[in-house]
């Protein structure tokens, strides 16, 4: 028999304090037999509320089960244990292919535990952490399984109360394939609720999925499960929950979820309705919610899409929290590259091809300045100093780090990155097909060797192109996300980043202050290794999700 060698953790609230025991990393040990029946084989999961083990039932020919061992602090409270036993009895009566079976609730001296169906797959929380946003079809597969399991529970007046990605899990089936399982009906919530009341704290993991009425102290019902499932599906599609961060609680009670870029409008509309703050405004049951997600009924598809249109902001220019201005580039089509007849053309500028953007994007109107770079990165690497001069002497890796740090510190919840080469040229040409984007003389629109004084010049000192972008030609070569290819053969035609190349070099566009006039053309390309820093290299950024 293993001792209870547990650690202690203290909680305080005013004059109230409480010591709680938490699990030691080696408790209980592998090989221990609980209740003279269940031999622990290995640990398969650990969290603040329980440890889960794979075990075998020695009275049923070593039938494989999962054992969920509860925290010692909870096991010592008779009232909490009684409530958990009642929840376990309720869960035991629920049998459905999409619901994890609960076989029993037992104890063994110092240990209280649940005996459950063993699953050999990955829960959806782990899937999002490892893969990010999941494909629409896979999320619909999750939704169908979850709705089937939850609907069976609701038909018996059983409410889950703790739907979240961690409680949805795919498991393999004996005959092949996989099936979605809903886990922890009511049990995880009771554990969490009891410990929360004991400590005076509220774990944020579950909070993010709780309905507003549940947070306000009302008794959760089927509509509360619908809300939590909608939040879960939103996270699987977006790679993040709809409400998070320091203001999550306020947003859950008062905010509205934003449409997920790239997800069909009818699905966004269904999620928005299922997450309505008023329970009566949600779908009348989970089957109706699923039907709206699937969009099989054309009339319903249109009504769901209309909800998104009401929520979608106007597509317009944008200034972020650092004062960087971004210009909205509308969806459209253009011819990328240069014709064989263009003067000073290089072979890597062809063959020409049509590129179509189905969605618009936001691109910074200028190169990133030294002032902005210093605010984000905390350094000034440039050779030619000046707050309003573009930052130079940065390599491709520096530019990507800037984008990541700007995203992490963003108060706008936006994702910043380098533009694709196609995005850059589309914005540079601004609807024109000529080698130079403007009707003005080259001196009026670009800094180059004849007029730059052999140094990078402040931004916005030359005429912008027709769409308002400055210095697209000259001043500094601009890093793009793409890997270098020797020409455009087999290049994507949707404006995306072209990265399937063994060449480690990255693309640079636009020319710089040391270039001659013949190099300053919309189609001119250059390549360099990602680690090279030169005083002729700079960058501008695009917002990945302009309407998040």
């Amino acid at each position: 028999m293993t001792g209870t060698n547990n650690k202690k953790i203290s909680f305080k609230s005013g004059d109230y304090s409480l010591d709680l025991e938490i699990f030691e990393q080696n408790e209980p040990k592998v090989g221990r037999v609980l209740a003279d029946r269940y031999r622990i084989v290995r640990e398969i999961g650990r969290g603040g509320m329980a440890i889960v083990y794979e075990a075998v039932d020695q009275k049923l020919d070593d039938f494989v089960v999962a054992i969920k061992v509860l925290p010692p602090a909870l096991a010592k409270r008779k009232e909490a244990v009684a409530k958990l036993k009642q929840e376990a009895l309720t869960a035991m009566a629920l049998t459905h292919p999409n619901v994890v079976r609960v076989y029993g609730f037992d104890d063994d001296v110092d240990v209280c535990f649940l005996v459950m169906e063993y699953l050999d797959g990955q829960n959806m929380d782990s899937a999002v952490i490892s893969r990010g946003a999941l494909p629409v079809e896979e999320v619909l597969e999750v939704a169908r399984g979850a709705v089937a399991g939850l609907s069976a529970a609701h038909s018996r007046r059983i409410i889950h109360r703790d739907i979240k990605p961690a409680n949805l899990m795919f498991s393999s089936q004996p005959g092949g394939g996989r099936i979605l399982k809903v886990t922890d009906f009511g049990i995880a919530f009771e554990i969490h609720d009891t410990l929360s009341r004991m400590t005076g704290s509220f774990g944020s993991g579950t909070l993010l999925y709780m309905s507003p009425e549940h947070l306000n102290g009302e008794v959760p019902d089927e509509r509360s499960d619908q809300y939590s499932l909608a939040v879960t599906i939103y996270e699987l599609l977006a790679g993040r929950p709809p409400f998070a961060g320091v203001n999550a609680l306020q947003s859950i009670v008062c905010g509205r979820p934003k449409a997920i870029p790239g997800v069909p409008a009818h699905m966004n509309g269904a999620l928005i309705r299922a997450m309505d703050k008023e329970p009566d405004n949600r779908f009348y049951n989970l089957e109706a919610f699923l039907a709206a997600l699937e969009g099989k009924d054309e009339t319903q598809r249109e009504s769901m899409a209309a909800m998104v249109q009401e929520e979608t902001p106007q597509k317009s220019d944008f200034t972020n929290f650092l004062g960087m201005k971004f210009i909205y580039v509308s969806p459209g089509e253009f011819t990328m590259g240069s014709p064989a007849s263009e003067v000073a053309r290089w072979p890597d500028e062809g063959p020409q091809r049509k590129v179509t953007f189905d969605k618009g994007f936001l691109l910074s109107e200028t190169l990133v300045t030294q002032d902005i770079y210093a605010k984000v990165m905390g350094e000034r690497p440039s050779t030619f100093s000046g707050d309003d001069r573009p930052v130079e002497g940065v390599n491709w890796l520096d530019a990507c780090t800037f984008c990541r740090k700007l995203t992490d510190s963003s108060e706008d919840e936006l994702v910043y990155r380098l533009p694709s080469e196609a995005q850059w040229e589309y914005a540079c040409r601004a609807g024109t097909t000529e080698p130079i984007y403007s009707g003005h003389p080259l001196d009026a629109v670009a800094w180059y060797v004849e007029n730059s004084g052999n140094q990078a010049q402040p931004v916005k000192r030359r005429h912008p192109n027709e769409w308002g972008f400055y210095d697209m030609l000259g001043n500094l070569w601009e890093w793009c996300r793409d890997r270098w290819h020797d020409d455009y053969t087999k290049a994507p035609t949707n404006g995306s980043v072209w990265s399937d190349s063994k060449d480690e070099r990255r693309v640079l566009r636009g020319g710089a202050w040391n270039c001659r006039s013949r190099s300053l053309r919309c189609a001119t390309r250059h390549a360099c290794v990602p680690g090279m820093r030169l005083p002729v290299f700079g960058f501008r950024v695009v917002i990945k999700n302009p309407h998040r």
Side-chain angles (χ1 to χ4, degrees):
M1 191 72 70
T2 306
T4 60
N5 184 27
N6 299 314
K7 294 181 179 178
K8 286 189 176 182
I9 184 168
S10 297
F11 297 87
K12 285 192 175 183
S13 178
D15 296 328
Y16 176 75
S17 64
L18 177 69
D19 287 334
L20 291 181
E21 290 180 311
I22 60 173
F23 297 109
E24 190 71 284
Q25 289 296 317
N26 62 344
E27 295 293 335
K29 289 183 178 179
V30 170
R32 178 174 174 177
V33 178
L34 298 176
D36 295 324
R37 180 170 183 173
Y38 304 104
R39 179 171 53 83
I40 294 176
V41 176
R42 65 186 179 98
E43 180 182 321
I44 55 177
R46 175 181 292 264
M49 302 300 164
I51 304 177
V52 182
Y53 297 93
E54 178 186 345
V56 293
D57 186 341
Q58 296 182 144
K59 291 185 179 181
L60 290 177
D61 296 327
D62 286 348
F63 178 71
V64 180
V65 296
I67 297 289
K68 175 171 282 191
V69 176
L70 307 182
L74 189 147
K76 291 178 180 179
R77 297 174 67 92
K78 293 182 179 179
E79 180 183 352
V81 171
K83 289 184 70 175
L84 280 167
K85 283 184 177 179
Q86 184 58 49
E87 290 291 340
L89 286 171
T90 300
M92 288 168 66
L94 181 59
T95 58
H96 188 275
N98 295 106
V99 175
V100 170
R101 291 292 309 275
V102 175
Y103 300 128
F105 183 93
D106 211 335
D107 62 83
D108 186 344
V109 186
D110 58 326
V111 176
C112 282
F113 59 94
L114 288 155
V115 185
M116 307 168 71
E117 176 184 1
Y118 174 77
L119 303 180
D120 61 356
Q122 180 185 50
N123 69 48
M124 303 317 297
D125 184 54
S126 298
V128 171
I129 290 172
S130 62
R131 297 166 53 196
L134 305 180
V136 168
E137 280 306 315
E138 183 173 352
V139 175
L140 283 174
E141 183 184 1
V142 173
R144 292 181 188 112
V147 166
L150 289 169
S151 295
H154 291 174
S155 70
R156 299 176 64 99
R157 300 181 181 273
I158 299 173
I159 311 302
H160 191 288
R161 296 182 291 175
D162 196 29
I163 291 294
K164 56 188 177 182
N167 285 338
L168 300 178
M169 183 175 184
F170 276 117
S171 183
S172 60
Q173 294 184 283
R178 64 180 185 175
I179 187 170
L180 191 284
K181 297 277 190 175
V182 183
T183 70
D184 285 345
F185 264 87
I187 296 167
F189 176 79
E190 284 298 338
I191 297 172
H192 178 274
D193 184 57
T194 300
L195 290 182
S196 294
R197 285 186 280 104
M198 291 169 66
T199 65
S201 64
F202 211 155
S204 60
T206 294
L207 173 108
L208 297 179
Y209 309 94
M210 288 177 68
S211 64
E213 66 271 17
H214 196 174
L215 285 172
N216 287 332
E218 299 176 27
V219 177
D221 59 18
E222 292 90 343
R223 299 167 301 177
S224 305
D225 275 357
Q226 181 184 142
Y227 177 96
S228 299
L229 180 60
V231 173
T232 296
I233 291 172
Y234 186 107
E235 180 173 352
L236 301 186
L237 289 167
R240 58 176 179 81
F243 309 117
V246 294
N247 296 319
L249 181 59
Q250 180 181 353
S251 297
I252 291 169
V253 176
C254 304
R256 290 185 67 88
K258 297 178 181 178
I260 307 168
V263 170
H266 72 273
M267 293 188 71
N268 272 309
L271 292 170
I272 289 171
R273 179 174 171 182
M275 285 187 275
D276 197 286
K277 305 306 175 190
E278 293 294 330
D280 288 341
N281 293 338
R282 298 170 196 158
F283 295 95
Y284 61 88
N285 62 21
L286 286 173
E287 287 89 348
F289 174 35
L290 178 61
L293 282 173
E294 293 178 320
K296 293 179 180 179
D297 183 274
E298 187 61 33
T299 301
Q300 189 177 46
R301 282 176 65 97
E302 293 176 358
S303 65
M304 291 298 100
M307 293 186 68
V308 178
Q309 291 170 3
E310 294 173 2
E311 298 296 319
T312 302
Q314 293 295 312
K315 297 176 174 62
S316 60
D317 297 350
F318 168 77
T319 300
N320 74 0
F321 70 104
L322 289 179
M324 296 175 67
K325 182 179 178 181
F326 290 79
I327 295 174
Y328 180 73
V329 180
S330 299
E333 183 180 83
F334 82 111
T335 300
M336 187 169 179
S338 62
S341 59
E342 187 166 302
V343 176
R345 178 187 188 270
W346 289 85
D348 57 47
E349 298 169 18
Q352 283 186 294
R353 70 196 192 286
K354 293 286 186 182
V355 175
T356 301
F357 290 90
D358 293 330
K359 299 177 183 178
F361 56 91
L362 287 165
L363 183 68
S364 56
E365 71 168 350
T366 71
L367 290 147
V368 173
T369 63
Q370 295 176 31
D371 177 56
I372 294 296
Y373 190 85
K375 287 178 179 177
V376 174
M377 301 290 283
E379 61 180 7
R380 293 175 177 269
S382 301
T383 300
F384 311 110
S385 299
D387 281 353
D388 59 349
R389 291 178 189 261
V391 65
E392 28 84 5
V394 291
N395 61 32
W396 185 86
L397 300 172
D398 297 328
C400 291
T401 300
F402 172 92
C403 291
R404 178 179 56 78
K405 289 189 174 183
L406 182 58
T407 296
D408 291 345
S409 62
S410 172
E411 298 174 1
D412 310 299
E413 295 188 353
L414 298 172
V415 176
Y416 298 84
R417 66 182 184 187
L418 292 176
S420 69
E421 186 179 10
Q423 286 177 320
W424 188 95
E425 187 170 328
Y426 183 44
C428 177
R429 290 189 178 278
T432 67
T433 58
E434 300 301 314
I436 298 174
Y437 53 67
S438 173
H440 297 285
L442 185 60
D443 274 5
V445 300
W447 297 107
Y448 59 112
V449 70
E450 281 89 350
N451 68 359
S452 66
N454 292 318
Q455 59 182 306
Q457 294 293 328
V459 300
K460 302 180 74 169
R461 298 293 177 87
R462 287 292 186 264
H463 284 291
N465 68 8
E466 293 298 315
W467 290 352
F469 294 105
Y470 292 87
D471 298 325
M472 296 296 285
L473 298 180
N475 217 0
L476 294 178
W477 287 102
E478 301 184 25
W479 289 108
C480 296
R481 289 186 68 199
D482 306 62
R483 285 178 177 266
W484 177 258
H485 295 76
D486 290 334
D487 60 30
Y488 290 140
T489 302
K490 296 183 180 181
T493 58
N494 62 357
S496 61
V497 175
W498 196 13
S499 57
D500 60 341
S501 171
K502 294 182 180 180
D503 196 325
E504 70 168 330
R505 292 176 296 170
R506 267 48 177 198
V507 173
L508 292 135
R509 298 298 299 264
W513 55 263
N514 65 336
C515 292
R516 299 198 176 277
S517 59
R518 63 188 290 115
S519 297
L520 301 189
R521 296 176 298 108
C522 295
T524 301
R525 308 172 71 216
H526 185 47
C528 193
V529 293
M532 178 66 72
R533 296 187 178 97
L534 292 174
V536 292
F537 292 169
F539 65 99
R540 70 182 73 219
V541 297
V542 69
I543 292 177
K544 177 182 179 182
N545 48 346
H547 306 301
R548 181 171 171 179

